[in-house]
Structures are given as structure tokens and as C-alpha cells.
Amino acid sequence: MTKRSTPLLLIGETSNIRDHVAKKLLEEKFETTEIEQMEQGPVSIILFLFDRQSAKLSIYLLQQVHLEKYEMDQLFIFDDKKTNSLADNESFVQSLIKASTNAVELFFSDVHVDSERVGDVVAKHLLHDLIHPSSHQMVKREISLKEKEIVGVVGLGYVGLPVAVGFSEHYPVIGFDVDDGKIAKLKKGEDPSEQFTQESLVATKIDFTTNAKKLRRCAYIIVAVPTPISASKEPDLSYLEAASQLIGENLTPDTIVVYESTVYPGATEEVCSPILEKASNLKVGKDFFIGYSPERINPGDHEHTFRTIPKIVAGQSAFVAETLYQLYQNVIKAPVYKASSIKVAETAKVVENTQRDINIAFMNELAQIFYHLDIPTEDVLAAAGTKWNFLPFSPGLVGGHCIGVDPYYLIHKARLAGYEPSFLTAAREVNESMVDHVTNLVMQQIVHHQTPWDNLKITVLGGTFKENIGDIRNSKALEILKNLLNLGLSVQLCDPHITEGSVQDIYGISNKSFDELEKADIVIAAVPHDVFNWERLKTILKETSTVIDIKSSIPLHYIPKEVTLLRL
Ligand SMILES: NC(=O)c1ccc[n+]([C@@H]2O[C@H](COP(=O)([O-])OP(=O)(O)OC[C@H]3O[C@@H](n4cnc5c(N)ncnc54)[C@H](O)[C@@H]3O)[C@@H](O)[C@H]2O)c1
């Protein structure tokens, strides 16, 4: 909540604009007052002098207030260059300026037709000056409605690229990345993350670059660099620190830097902001500003996209939050939500993913219990799911760089604060144990069928960390594959989404097409991409095969009767 004691008196006959501004100020908890309700004490005045006729009336109304009785705090004059209404009332306005502690004159340099748009711009400038008052007695600024501010996006991966593309529909965008191979591809319209077609990427007109100096032209810089964990499962903020250093070296006054990378509560203000200040020699909250907007993009999901997912924004002050709210509202179809602080927005993001981690961990624990009790998990969940408040989660592998990583950020911060989050760590352990559980299922099948080790063939279908994308970072399917290879088993992988070479480089095996697969004794349907045609499953099975369907995604009628089917 913004704390402010001086009431604001809004005077202006351009009622639509005035009403819109009054609404915005009230939303930000600023106290407004009417002439008739004014009490003794300090007051700030917001004077609208938009067209000649209504300007005359505004001045007349103000002249009715015996201002000598009040202590004049800030004075804001919104003026229109075209009608030059201020000149008609020069001496009266000059006396007002003299009586105020600080006056700001903002004049529009272009014609304004849409009062809501003008109101938004006026409110934005007002909030800026109310929250960050100038030390000068009089400030004069020209504002243009036509002005298109440049948006810079730093880090063009699974998150940064859709953000850059989304903004490019309404703003000029500079897309910066340190990976020159990636930038060369993007310039040609090739998207390494398989999210955009060549045609659509070329049409965006984004200025893809590795030249950080171009960021100096940006009014907003959005940061979407990786925030992984170290080998000891501690937050690794090295990318974020390097990006902040680079941005700081190219930071110009009045820029708002918005972090979208997932972090632990406090990281933006405690880690990133000091780096920006030091590298830029500018003061945060005075010369430049910071905000946070957690990203919920779900790569491979065409329904929940940058434009359709509700967006949280937060700023270091009400002005920054409001500015970001308007910025994101221009490009996002879904609602934009203003969080009460940067820390709250950072926490909300890690909590969203931690909640999923915990719920899936519960399912995975049940799956392991039911395996020992010989009860089909799927049937239990179907039965329990008939209750109105039973949550529809299912067991599975939790890999990637969000659900399997973000809880460690919260765990880290909780421990620093002296609290051991045993529930969160237990959930992580259960989900991590699923790789061994599936490996054990494979071993038991081998023992059960007494298949000679040397003749045994195992197929893994899908090696990415989740369906329909090519991302193999922290893939649990590949961890299972690695376990089996380490046991000396003959394993073949088929994943149409994984780019050539990457699996060969890491595991020394080739990534086969479905047609190249040899019939296998055990087929693990690890990641059920949409491109898999389950009708053809029987062509890669032997009569005595076992199918381990990790996500219970293969329709039962595609599994031949003689084949053993295991599900989690
Ligand atoms: N991928 C997701 O599903 C997802 C969803 C929500 C939030 N997030 C979060 O968003 C952030 C980014 O994730 P991602 O999946 O897009 O990562 P990514 O690895 O796909 O992309 C990151 C990009 O940043 C670039 N980069 C690294 N250091 C840089 C620097 N100093 N300056 C400029 N560019 C730099 C890399 O070259 C890469 O292109 C992470 O914090 C992640 O947790 C990811």
C-alpha cells in the first residue's frame, strides 16, 4: 500500500480523462479530494488544461479555492501544446508554481483522441512523479502518445523467445543472447526451440543481436536467462548475475529492468539489483527501476501460451508496478495481476511449481506402495476421482528445469532463514526415486522372464523431459536409459523430437527412427509424444515382450494380449 498523507485535488473539465486518472490513483491507494471537501492542511493539485474552453473553466474553478489557506505540496499541470491554454493564464499559474514545493508541467505534443489512452499515460507520469518527486522546483516534460518504447529481451530460450515474439506485435523489440550460433539461426528465422515457424519468426522484425550495446536504446529490458541448480542442488544464479552485469554496463536512465527468470524470494532485489547499480553507476529507484514478472510458459503446449496465460507483474514501487501492468496488458490477452511486491511475485512462482511437485510426489509414493501391494494405481485413482474434491494428479517422471528445480530454490531460502522444509525435501526425494523404481521394474521383468542378458533388447520411447518438445535437460527418461546402459544392457532410443547428435554425444547411442527399431523384450514408453503412432506399437514388440507405460498413455487395445503391461 502506498503511504501518502497529502490529498490530491484533481481539477479539470475534461471529465473522461480526469475520471480515468482519478480511478487509477484510487487503485494505487492515493487519497483524492474535491474542492467542497477540502480541509485545512497540505494539498497537491493536479490541473488539467487540455483544450482552451475547458482550461478556462479549470482555472476558474481553481481560483475559487482560497489557496493561501492551504500548504501547497506538489503541483501537476497537464497541458496541450496545440491549444497552448497555459499561456492564457500565465501569471496565475506562475503564482501557483511559486507556492508549490515542486511543480511538474507535462505537455502533450500530439493530438489525443482516445481519452482512456491519454488517461493511462497521464496516470503513468503522475505516479512516477508522486512516488519519485524531483528535487527541482519546476520540471517541464514533453510526452508523446505516438512514442513507441523499445523492449529488450535478454536470453532467447524457451521463455525469452515467445516473450520477444509476443512483444513484437506491439513494440519494437531487440532480442539479445550471448549464444551467437542461436542468434545466427534466429536471424534466418530458424527456432532451435521448435516453437515458431520460419515464416512467423521472420515476420516479427525482431532485431536479434549479440551486441549488448543495443540494449541502451530500450525503455524496458526483460531478462529470461536460465536459473538451474548446481550438482549439490543449490540455486545457480551465475547466468542471472552475468546477465545483470551485462545489462548494468549498458543501462541508461529511466529504464525498467524486469526479471522473468525463476528465482528464490528476494533474489531480484538482493542479488540482481546491486549488480545493476554497480555496473551502471546508477541508483535503483531513482535513475532506473526494477520489476519482476514470473513466467508460466509451457513449451509444447499450444493452448497455454505467452498471450493466453494470466501474468503476474510486480514493481519496486506502485509506479513501476502500474507501468508494467500497462505494458503487459498491451500484449497479453489474459488478465494481468499486480502482486503486492517483487518478493511476493517471486515466491508465487516457486510455490506454483512446488505445489505440483508435492502433488505428483504423493502420486508417485502411492504408485510405489501399490506396486508392493499389487493394486493398480490407475484404477484406484479413477475410483477416488469420483469424489468432488479429489485432485486429478497422476504418477510420473518429474524432470526438466521447472518443477524438478524450483522447489530447491524455496528449500534453499527456507534453510537460510533457519527453517528445515522437511515436507518439500521429502517430495523431491520421492520424485527423484522414480528413476530407480522404473529401473527396478525393468530388472524384475528380466529376472521374471529369465531372458538371457546378452540377447536382451530394451527400447526407450521418448527421451526428452516431457512430451512434444526437444528439451533433454534433466530428463528422467534419459537417466533411466543411462542406468540401463550402465548395467551393460542393449538399449535403443527413439525420440523424433531430439535433435541429431545430442544423445550420441552424451550416451554414445544413436537416436533411431521408429522404423529402424529392432523388436525389443522390454519397451519403456517413457515420454508419450503425440507423434508416436500407438497403432504401430505391435511392430516393435515380441510375443513375450513387456511394455512399461509410465504415463498410462497407450490405449489398451493397442497392447497385444500376450504382452505384459506394467503401469505406474
Ligand atoms: N522453459 C520453461 O518451461 C520455463 C517456464 C517458466 C519459467 N522458466 C524460467 O525461465 C528462465 C529461462 O528458462 P529457459 O527454459 O527459457 O532457458 P533456456 O536455456 O531455454 O534459454 C536461456 C537463454 O539465455 C541465454 N543466456 C544465458 N546467459 C545469458 C546472458 N548472460 N545474457 C544473455 N543471454 C544469456 C542462453 O544462451 C539461452 O539462449 C529460467 O529461470 C526458467 O526457470 C522456464
Side-chain angles (χ1 to χ4, degrees):
M1 187 195 234
T2 312
K3 288 200 180 65
R4 194 187 154 78
S5 52
T6 316
L8 302 166
L9 176 64
L10 278 74
I11 299 192
E13 263 312 283
T14 325
S15 52
N16 284 346
I17 298 176
R18 195 197 53 189
D19 292 351
H20 192 76
V21 172
K23 195 175 118 213
K24 291 269 167 196
L25 290 172
L26 278 176
E27 278 171 17
E28 294 307 328
K29 317 273 188 262
F30 280 93
E31 188 193 339
T32 57
T33 186
E34 299 291 329
I35 291 181
E36 312 80 54
Q37 290 158 2
M38 270 173 65
E39 289 169 7
Q40 295 285 347
V43 68
S44 285
I45 293 181
I46 301 168
L47 185 57
F48 295 94
L49 300 175
F50 277 135
D51 63 74
R52 260 196 144 98
Q53 213 39 42
S54 67
K56 258 190 200 165
L57 204 56
S58 297
I59 296 284
Y60 169 77
L61 282 171
L62 194 57
Q63 282 166 339
Q64 305 313 301
V65 183
H66 294 288
L67 288 170
E68 63 283 358
K69 290 200 300 192
Y70 301 92
E71 199 184 307
M72 289 275 290
D73 191 359
Q74 283 176 282
L75 170 70
F76 299 92
I77 305 164
F78 287 95
D79 185 9
D80 188 328
K81 202 177 182 185
K82 208 173 103 249
T83 53
N84 201 15
S85 40
L86 194 58
D88 297 348
N89 306 285
E90 185 93 48
S91 61
F92 177 69
V93 175
Q94 282 306 328
S95 68
L96 284 178
I97 293 172
K98 271 206 192 105
S100 325
T101 54
N102 153 241
V104 183
E105 184 199 334
L106 294 144
F107 58 91
F108 280 89
S109 54
D110 36 30
V111 186
H112 37 85
V113 276
D114 173 358
S115 55
E116 205 166 285
R117 170 96 174 96
V118 176
D120 279 344
V121 175
V122 168
K124 177 182 153 185
H125 282 269
L126 254 178
L127 284 168
H128 180 282
D129 291 304
L130 281 167
I131 295 164
H132 310 283
S134 163
S135 45
H136 298 284
Q137 226 265 318
M138 175 69 200
V139 178
K140 205 172 159 117
R141 254 200 331 262
E142 179 172 349
I143 40 185
S144 168
L145 288 178
K146 288 187 198 130
E147 192 175 283
K148 272 263 177 186
E149 289 160 320
I150 300 178
V151 175
V153 179
V154 171
L156 299 170
Y158 284 95
V159 165
L161 188 60
V163 170
V165 171
F167 273 98
S168 72
E169 287 170 27
H170 296 268
Y171 293 89
V173 172
I174 291 173
F176 171 80
D177 202 292
V178 284
D179 182 344
D180 35 9
K182 180 174 275 186
I183 290 295
K185 279 191 176 160
L186 291 171
K187 277 184 170 181
K188 286 189 271 175
E190 291 167 23
D191 171 12
S193 65
E194 297 182 67
Q195 299 179 89
F196 299 97
T197 62
Q198 189 160 30
E199 243 187 345
S200 64
L201 212 50
V202 170
T204 62
K205 305 243 170 14
I206 297 171
D207 180 1
F208 292 115
T209 183
T210 52
N211 179 2
K213 288 195 172 64
K214 287 197 180 176
L215 295 174
R216 293 178 186 178
R217 293 168 43 215
C218 298
Y220 305 96
I221 298 176
I222 298 172
V223 190
V225 297
T227 45
I229 44 167
S230 65
S232 57
K233 307 211 185 300
E234 290 294 320
D236 171 4
L237 296 183
S238 58
Y239 297 93
L240 207 57
E241 288 165 354
S244 301
Q245 175 68 26
L246 219 136
I247 294 166
E249 287 164 9
N250 294 287
L251 199 59
T252 48
D254 279 337
T255 307
I256 300 182
V257 184
V258 191
Y259 288 87
E260 288 216 4
S261 295
T262 307
V263 290
Y264 55 71
T268 305
E269 284 153 306
E270 292 158 15
V271 179
C272 305
S273 179
I275 298 175
L276 291 175
E277 280 192 315
K278 196 161 175 230
S280 65
N281 219 5
L282 296 172
K283 188 98 196 81
V284 71
K286 216 167 158 41
D287 306 319
F288 75 94
F289 307 92
I290 52 166
Y292 185 78
S293 179
E295 193 44 71
R296 292 163 163 166
I297 278 171
N298 189 21
D301 178 343
H302 299 293
E303 191 188 330
H304 302 103
T305 64
F306 176 66
R307 273 169 61 88
T308 60
I309 303 170
K311 190 89 171 110
I312 296 176
V313 293
Q316 70 176 119
S317 68
F319 157 70
V320 180
E322 173 63 21
T323 308
L324 293 180
Y325 175 79
Q326 287 179 23
L327 177 78
Y328 279 93
Q329 242 193 355
N330 287 338
V331 293
I332 281 177
K333 267 206 290 191
V336 179
Y337 176 86
K338 255 190 279 176
S340 57
S341 70
I342 289 179
K343 219 180 231 184
V344 164
E346 291 169 327
T347 314
K349 170 68 195 177
V350 283
V351 163
E352 285 166 21
N353 280 348
T354 303
Q355 186 189 58
R356 269 191 78 71
D357 196 45
I358 287 168
N359 281 308
I360 298 169
F362 175 44
M363 294 298 128
N364 280 337
E365 180 132 299
L366 292 181
Q368 297 195 48
I369 296 171
F370 297 161
Y371 170 74
H372 289 286
L373 299 179
D374 199 18
I375 300 171
T377 312
E378 213 190 344
D379 295 359
V380 175
L381 296 180
T386 57
K387 193 184 174 202
W388 69 94
N389 57 3
F390 190 82
L391 301 176
F393 284 92
S394 48
L397 303 172
V398 182
H401 31 81
C402 287
I403 301 174
V405 166
D406 299 353
Y408 291 118
Y409 274 69
L410 192 53
I411 289 168
H412 165 85
K413 197 63 182 179
R415 283 181 178 152
L416 281 184
Y419 179 80
E420 182 54 42
S422 50
F423 184 48
L424 270 55
T425 43
R428 281 281 65 242
E429 277 163 22
V430 170
N431 284 339
E432 287 291 302
S433 74
M434 292 311 281
V435 168
D436 286 343
H437 178 62
V438 175
T439 310
N440 287 341
L441 289 183
V442 173
M443 297 312 293
Q444 274 154 11
Q445 284 306 302
I446 295 170
V447 173
H448 180 73
H449 289 285
Q450 295 183 332
T451 326
W453 203 259
D454 290 344
N455 303 340
L456 202 87
K457 188 69 114 198
I458 298 175
T459 297
V460 176
L461 294 176
T464 55
F465 87 82
K466 67 169 185 176
E467 295 85 356
N468 304 324
I469 58 166
D471 197 343
I472 59 169
R473 288 174 295 175
N474 191 20
S475 158
K476 298 299 165 192
L478 290 184
E479 278 184 31
I480 294 168
L481 180 135
K482 192 170 118 198
N483 274 355
L484 300 175
L485 286 173
N486 286 344
L487 288 166
L489 290 160
S490 169
V491 189
Q492 49 184 357
L493 171 76
C494 167
D495 191 321
H497 283 279
I498 297 181
T499 46
E500 246 171 77
S502 48
V503 175
Q504 180 95 49
D505 293 345
I506 310 169
Y507 302 99
I509 59 162
S510 63
N511 177 18
K512 293 187 172 177
S513 71
F514 198 88
D515 290 330
E516 287 168 337
L517 290 171
E518 291 169 46
K519 284 182 187 275
D521 302 278
I522 298 172
V523 171
I524 307 170
V527 187
H529 297 305
D530 289 348
V531 289
F532 286 128
N533 179 356
W534 300 123
E535 250 178 72
R536 298 189 57 217
L537 179 69
K538 57 180 179 298
T539 64
I540 58 164
L541 298 175
K542 297 178 180 174
E543 265 191 19
T544 52
S545 293
T546 297
V547 172
I548 303 179
D549 181 10
I550 290 184
K551 291 200 83 175
S552 304
S553 49
I554 307 174
L556 288 177
H557 56 274
Y558 291 135
I559 314 264
K561 284 205 172 47
E562 57 283 6
V563 160
T564 308
L565 173 67
L566 297 180
R567 290 177 153 175
L568 288 186

